[in-house]
Amino acid sequence: MDDTYRTITGPSEAVYTEKRSKFIAVALPVRTLEEVKEQLDIYQKKYYDARHVCYAYMLGAERKNFRANDNGEPSGTAGKPILGQINSKELTDVLVIVVRYFGGIKLGTSGLIVAYRTAASLALEEAEVVEKTVDEEVGIAFEYPFMNDVMRVVKENLPEIVSQSYDMDCFMRLRIRKSEMPRLRARLEKVETLRFV
């Protein structure tokens, strides 16, 4: 099981012109469908006067949640070529929007496919790509006297401490790379009074 994925660190933009039609492409990092909708809303308002605001997105480390939208262009000429660029760069958690201002000269279906593909590719080339790990979280509760045992496991396995509270009963939420979770859980199970919550 590969527990890494590739995404972009921040927004990037590129402009491509073909036969006086102007294609403005924007690549944005997104984590959820809500973020996709918010960004689409922003760009549809920003480019309200554009002929077409086409897009494609890919979400999740498994790269199974995706969509391509032609926004009124002939079927398969905009969204699919944009999605194809996201796929060819093996990216996820990314939304690519390509805004088209019509220049008065029809490009034909093959011309549109090339234009949308090129614009999307240029925007993604401008983006900084990073490799991230697929992480899992676990919640643990334990009695205060066993704090040192828990902290020893945390120091040796190095999960990120997402949240913690100390009282008579202590609580911690830990995040670690998916492939390292079984080892972390096995170590934690040995701590007296500890339970997973």
Side-chain angles (χ1 to χ4, degrees), residues 1-193:
M1 161 70 202
D2 191 18
D3 63 352
T4 61
Y5 62 95
R6 289 158 48 85
T7 189
I8 61 175
T9 56
S12 61
E13 202 170 305
V15 177
Y16 176 72
T17 311
E18 179 65 34
K19 292 183 179 162
R20 295 212 302 266
S21 270
K22 185 174 170 189
F23 296 86
I24 302 164
V26 185
L28 301 156
V30 286
R31 298 291 295 270
T32 63
L33 211 48
E34 287 70 43
E35 282 180 51
V36 168
K37 287 177 183 146
E38 280 168 25
Q39 292 297 339
L40 284 171
D41 205 40
I42 290 167
Y43 282 89
Q44 281 160 343
K45 284 186 177 113
K46 183 176 176 180
Y47 295 106
Y48 67 92
D49 56 340
R51 176 73 67 92
H52 303 282
V53 180
C54 307
Y55 66 90
Y57 64 79
M58 176 77 68
L59 295 174
E62 298 83 34
R63 304 179 75 244
K64 286 187 170 74
N65 185 355
F66 57 89
R67 179 147 186 244
N69 186 307
D70 296 316
N71 190 239
E73 290 283 29
S75 181
T77 60
K80 272 202 183 117
I82 297 168
L83 185 61
Q85 289 308 302
I86 295 171
N87 273 328
S88 72
K89 293 181 179 15
E90 296 175 348
L91 297 171
T92 191
D93 288 354
V94 65
L95 165 66
V96 178
I97 301 170
V98 181
V99 177
R100 179 186 181 196
Y101 283 97
F102 185 56
I105 301 167
K106 285 194 187 319
L107 301 178
T109 51
S110 61
L112 284 172
I113 290 167
V114 169
Y116 279 103
R117 184 173 59 215
T118 305
S121 178
L122 291 171
L124 288 169
E125 279 166 25
E126 290 297 313
E128 184 185 336
V129 174
V130 287
E131 189 166 86
K132 291 189 173 181
T133 57
V134 178
D135 297 333
E136 285 184 345
E137 285 189 12
V138 62
I140 55 171
F142 53 94
E143 290 172 14
Y144 191 79
F146 299 96
M147 169 68 74
N148 286 342
D149 299 346
V150 171
M151 290 315 291
R152 187 175 308 115
V153 173
V154 168
K155 272 197 185 78
E156 290 168 11
N157 290 62
L158 298 171
E160 174 191 343
I161 299 173
V162 180
S163 62
Q164 54 193 347
S165 62
Y166 306 111
D167 221 1
M168 282 308 290
D169 245 12
C170 301
F171 176 80
M172 249 185 213
R173 184 161 266 310
L174 305 172
R175 180 185 298 137
I176 197 165
R177 189 171 174 163
K178 189 175 182 177
S179 60
E180 292 170 20
M181 182 59 85
R183 196 174 81 208
L184 177 66
R185 287 186 78 106
R187 296 273 320 269
L188 289 168
E189 278 166 7
K190 293 182 179 129
V191 176
E192 273 183 77
T193 77

